[in-house]
Amino acid sequence: NGINSDIMFDNMVHKFRWGGIENPKVYLDENNLKSCSIFRSLFAELVETLITEGKNDKALEALDYCMKVIPAKTVPMDYMFISFAKDYYQLGQKAKADKMVEEMADNSIKNLDWYFQLNNQQALSAYRDIYENLAICQGIVTMSQEYNKANFDKYYQKFMPYFQKYNSMK
């Protein structure tokens, strides 16, 4: 993939200063939030590369560091968290992965509950947000099937009504 994981790891974990993204008192406008999403995707790429190279200790350190400097409490969870949860599972960090999955599920359910209380016209205007939350739900179900079969039924049952509502919107 053309990444020098050692240099990228050193730059992202040791050299780059993240500017207080983790501080809830720091205002992050739409442009800053987009930048944070790009930073998360760079961390995801780094972690995946490190796992592929068998550098699991570094991968875990980079992933934990990403969660520290770009946390969900200041930069909302997005689909990238599916990848991070999967990485935690692959790195043998089941408790961290399960916690992340539960937070994603709760957040998506809360959002979808709100969206589906809207009338059809309003819901259609939020179509992209609904789709993103459903994609997270689908990612959770798929990942649970592979990494935590005990949770598969639970999430499948939680999310199916939302998929059915979504399909009836069209």
Side-chain angles (χ1 to χ4, degrees):
N1 63 11
I3 292 177
N4 184 323
S5 63
D6 293 325
I7 291 173
M8 189 173 182
F9 176 87
D10 188 43
N11 286 337
M12 293 184 75
V13 175
H14 297 129
K15 292 182 180 176
F16 191 81
R17 299 294 161 236
W18 296 95
I21 297 168
E22 77 285 354
N23 183 347
K25 293 182 180 180
V26 171
Y27 174 70
L28 299 171
D29 66 13
E30 186 178 344
N31 290 323
N32 288 327
L33 289 173
K34 284 181 185 176
S35 294
C36 291
S37 290
I38 292 168
F39 294 143
R40 274 188 183 148
S41 68
L42 291 172
F43 268 110
E45 195 170 348
L46 173 61
V47 170
E48 289 292 322
T49 300
L50 290 167
I51 290 171
T52 300
E53 294 173 352
K55 299 175 182 176
N56 290 353
D57 290 343
K58 276 188 165 182
L60 181 58
E61 184 180 350
L63 185 52
D64 284 344
Y65 189 71
C66 178
M67 295 297 105
K68 176 184 167 192
V69 297
I70 313 173
K73 70 180 179 196
T74 58
V75 180
M77 289 185 178
D78 56 14
Y79 193 80
M80 187 62 57
F81 275 71
I82 298 288
S83 172
F84 290 152
K86 181 180 173 187
D87 292 337
Y88 272 132
Y89 281 126
Q90 289 179 334
L91 293 167
Q93 302 292 311
K94 184 181 181 310
K96 287 180 183 178
D98 286 345
K99 183 177 185 242
M100 183 177 280
V101 167
E102 190 68 35
E103 289 174 9
M104 282 187 292
D106 290 346
N107 189 52
S108 289
I109 287 171
K110 181 184 73 175
N111 291 340
L112 291 167
D113 280 343
W114 186 84
Y115 291 129
F116 286 121
Q117 289 179 13
L118 302 173
N119 67 40
N120 274 351
Q121 187 65 29
Q122 292 168 323
L124 286 172
S125 70
Y127 192 79
R128 184 174 179 266
D129 294 328
I130 293 169
Y131 181 82
E132 184 175 323
N133 279 275
L134 287 171
I136 290 170
C137 294
Q138 184 175 10
I140 289 170
V141 168
T142 302
M143 186 174 39
S144 294
Q145 198 169 19
E146 184 173 350
Y147 292 101
N148 189 345
K149 291 188 189 318
N151 280 336
F152 172 76
D153 287 335
K154 174 176 115 176
Y155 291 125
Y156 184 82
Q157 295 302 322
K158 279 185 176 184
F159 298 145
M160 276 314 293
Y162 298 107
F163 286 109
Q164 291 166 350
K165 287 180 186 178
Y166 175 76
N167 285 331
S168 70
M169 282 175 57
K170 298 177 181 180

